[in-house]
Amino acid sequence: MESGMPLSGGQRALIRESWQRLSGSPEQHGLVLFTRLFDLDPGLLPLFQYNCKQFASPQECLSAPEFLDHIRKVMLVIDAAVSHLENLSCLEEYLCNLGKKHQAVGVKVESFSTVGESLLYMLEKCLGAAFSPEVQEAWSKLYSAVVKAMQRGWETLPEGD
């Protein structure tokens, strides 16, 4: 899995260090990420349904136990990417399948740019002064590599009518 521009050793260190600072409360940080996501694109809310229940508001969704479980899973995927910075290609098949699952529930590839913006927002808010331009660039490269792998899940499915 190549992002076009592989991460340097320094960038991998910045990602690991910044992620370590956030590891104590992944659910709390995930809530920051998803709150921002719904602020940027409220149209994504209908994608999150559990037991055929449609949420009336982002706040209702963000407090649902099923959605908190989704947040934990998202944070685990980020953790896996950070844990495999030296060899992101070992996550290729997993991320491709994750992309297929997201497509199946109606997520559009274009939404990943909003998710990326929300991820960077969360990192900035939660890291404070430690969120330097170098940290932002490193995370942007990592996120780009993850999204490219997930997009392959779309590419392997036949186009709908």
Side-chain angles (χ1 to χ4, degrees), residues 66-150:
E66 300 90 347
F67 189 75
L68 295 175
D69 187 50
H70 180 78
I71 287 174
R72 284 188 281 277
K73 289 176 184 174
V74 168
M75 300 307 276
L76 284 172
V77 171
I78 297 170
D79 190 65
V82 172
S83 298
H84 294 86
L85 287 172
E86 308 295 334
N87 184 18
L88 286 171
S89 61
C90 72
L91 297 176
E92 181 84 29
E93 184 178 349
Y94 171 76
L95 292 171
C96 180
N97 287 330
L98 194 59
K100 287 178 191 175
K101 288 179 185 177
H102 280 77
Q103 183 187 35
V105 298
V107 175
K108 304 286 183 227
V109 171
E110 299 78 38
S111 296
F112 284 111
S113 65
T114 311
V115 174
E117 193 177 327
S118 300
L119 172 66
L120 293 175
Y121 174 87
M122 179 271 293
L123 290 164
E124 180 179 11
K125 291 296 168 203
C126 298
L127 292 171
F131 188 71
S132 66
E134 295 79 17
V135 170
Q136 180 177 350
E137 181 183 352
W139 274 99
S140 293
K141 279 186 175 182
L142 173 60
Y143 183 73
S144 176
V146 168
V147 168
K148 282 183 180 176
M150 288 180 70

